[in-house]
Amino acid sequence: MSLNNVLPFLSTLVMLVFTISVLQRYVVRRQLHFLFWGIGLAMFGAGSFAEAYLALGWNKWVFFVWYLFGAALNAAWLGHGTLYLLVRKRWVHGVTAALVIGSLFAGYLMLQAMPKLDESVFTTSKPVSEQYGTKALDAGESAPEGALTVNTTYRGEEVTAVRGLLPLGTPVRLTTPFFNIYGLLTLVGGAIYSAFLFWRKRVMPNRVVANVLIAAGALAIGFASTLTRLGYGQFLYLGELFSAILMFVGFQLAAKPQPNEVPAQQSVPASAD
């Protein structure tokens, strides 16, 4: 078993411990940001485990878990937890309803896509993130060496496409950018905003560093995913583990009380409040 086969399992373990820690805080505090963080982290962990499994063999329902929870939804649910932490307005509940309905709709679209999977293209020699989607080649663009291609009609034009598990134009793929952009803006933006507030007020320096680590962790997985799409998939699993560790350390550091905090404050575990 290679290192790349082991790394996703390590990421899953880190996220399992992280998820339990966050959900325990929700049980004690009953604050909704902990609940959404916990759900988002559980999705991250499920995606990491599915990715590890798919590095060893094929199972279409494991792929379902990987795409829906790992590729599509987890960033949005994590970011929504940060929104609940920073914004105490009623309209956030409306955003929650939209997120839940959107997630259920994405799950429905993913179920619709399952019978159409091109399972014959799957290989354990590449990360699943390099082979999940069929990609139309631009005019004059050559297919990567060893890639399987198909000539098909797409948007009324005859195109050559590199075959992937999900066919061209699969509706569920159109939903993924919306979830990921929302997650990036709320999780990274919220962490940076919180760090700036603490830094400006010269209070709780541990939470300045903590929020920077949380933002860096979220950006790390985005950067690793971008490298994968550019053909450098060997860095994906390391990026995921790095991301999981950074966010976990950031959260733990944020929960650590300062020496000058009174005992009543020591039990407050928020990562950005």
Side-chain angles (χ1 to χ4, degrees):
M1 181 179 288
S2 69
L3 181 61
N4 264 351
N5 294 135
V6 174
L7 290 178
F9 285 109
L10 294 178
S11 299
T12 302
L13 181 60
V14 172
M15 297 314 295
L16 176 61
V17 175
F18 196 178
T19 301
I20 292 173
S21 175
V22 170
L23 290 178
Q24 283 177 334
R25 295 174 189 274
Y26 170 70
V27 170
V28 173
R29 295 294 173 186
R30 295 294 176 180
Q31 294 172 320
L32 286 175
H33 56 276
F34 288 125
L35 176 62
F36 282 97
W37 279 340
I39 294 173
L41 291 169
M43 290 179 175
F44 191 125
S48 294
F49 177 78
E51 194 165 54
Y53 184 101
L54 292 170
L56 303 175
W58 170 253
N59 182 289
K60 68 177 183 179
W61 294 111
V62 174
F63 175 74
F64 175 93
V65 169
W66 174 81
Y67 190 85
L68 184 62
F69 297 130
L73 297 182
N74 76 85
W77 284 74
L78 281 168
H80 195 64
T82 300
L83 183 68
Y84 257 113
L85 174 66
L86 297 177
V87 180
R88 309 299 172 90
K89 302 290 185 180
R90 290 186 177 182
W91 58 261
V92 176
H93 299 307
V95 180
T96 301
L99 177 62
V100 171
I101 293 171
S103 298
L104 291 174
F105 184 60
Y108 167 77
L109 292 178
M110 191 62 196
L111 287 172
Q112 294 293 104
M114 294 302 287
K116 304 174 184 177
L117 295 179
D118 186 359
E119 300 180 17
S120 63
V121 304
F122 177 78
T123 175
T124 56
S125 64
K126 296 190 298 184
V128 66
S129 54
E130 287 189 44
Q131 51 184 318
Y132 73 88
T134 300
K135 178 184 180 295
L137 297 175
D138 296 326
E141 183 181 3
S142 300
E145 184 178 354
L148 300 176
T149 61
V150 61
N151 294 320
T152 185
T153 302
Y154 181 56
R155 295 178 178 175
E157 298 182 3
E158 290 293 325
V159 298
T160 299
V162 176
R163 289 166 57 191
L165 291 161
L166 291 168
L168 278 176
T170 304
V172 69
R173 294 181 62 187
L174 302 179
T175 68
T176 303
F178 293 100
F179 289 113
N180 287 334
I181 290 172
Y182 174 70
L184 180 67
L185 292 176
T186 50
L187 181 61
V188 178
I192 293 174
Y193 176 71
S194 296
F196 172 74
L197 288 181
F198 288 127
W199 173 80
R200 188 181 65 179
K201 295 177 181 179
R202 300 293 192 273
V203 296
M204 300 182 185
N206 63 315
R207 294 183 184 174
V208 175
V209 177
N211 280 283
V212 170
L213 289 175
I214 292 169
L219 288 172
I221 185 57
F223 182 65
S225 297
T226 300
L227 286 178
T228 297
R229 291 184 176 88
L230 294 175
Y232 301 96
Q234 65 270 29
F235 299 110
L236 177 64
Y237 299 151
L238 183 61
E240 287 180 343
L241 179 60
F242 190 55
S243 172
I245 292 173
L246 281 177
M247 289 195 291
F248 183 53
V249 172
F251 183 87
Q252 294 298 106
L253 182 61
K256 183 179 180 181
Q258 291 294 286
N260 61 347
E261 288 185 287
V262 297
Q265 292 175 313
Q266 291 179 359
S267 62
V268 180
S271 71
D273 60 2

